[in-house]
Amino acid sequence: MSGRDIVAEDLDHIRRKFAGNAVFDDKTVVITGFAGFLGYMLSRYFLALGDAGVRLKSLILLDNFLLGRPDWLVEAAARAPFPVTVAQFDVVTDD
């Protein structure tokens, strides 16, 4: 089993645990470095929570896009049941 499979399995388990739970309802979630491996997995997780009925207030995704803008971004943001904001941001140089 690859590292990606293990993380995906763990996130799926967490998603099932929070399905129907209001802990994230009306909350804004910010993910920095979302275009990287862990950020990608977390982004998928919160988008999956939306599919499971959890209603975030919004999801804010920040990255410096050093390696480019991921292809999955536009489609995922468009189908989210809550507002998704994507911003290019570098925590080292921006404030």
Side-chain angles (χ1 to χ4, degrees):
M1 184 177 275
S2 73
R4 182 178 294 262
D5 293 335
I6 292 169
V7 171
E9 184 179 296
D10 289 346
L11 290 174
D12 187 54
H13 173 75
I14 294 168
R15 180 189 56 79
R16 285 192 313 270
K17 179 180 178 180
F18 284 115
N21 190 327
V23 70
F24 290 113
D25 283 354
D26 202 36
K27 301 288 191 290
T28 296
V29 174
V30 177
I31 300 174
T32 60
F34 84 93
F37 176 74
L38 290 177
Y40 166 74
M41 297 305 259
L42 285 170
S43 300
R44 282 188 45 199
Y45 166 71
F46 281 102
L47 290 167
L49 281 180
D51 293 341
V54 174
R55 297 291 170 235
L56 293 177
K57 183 176 181 180
S58 64
L59 180 61
I60 300 172
L61 304 173
L62 304 174
D63 201 282
N64 63 6
F65 298 116
L66 183 65
L67 300 176
R69 188 176 287 253
D71 295 336
W72 59 269
L73 174 62
V74 173
E75 179 185 334
R79 69 178 181 81
F82 41 76
V84 177
T85 302
V86 176
Q88 185 168 358
F89 187 84
D90 190 325
V91 296
V92 175
T93 59
D94 295 332
D95 51 23

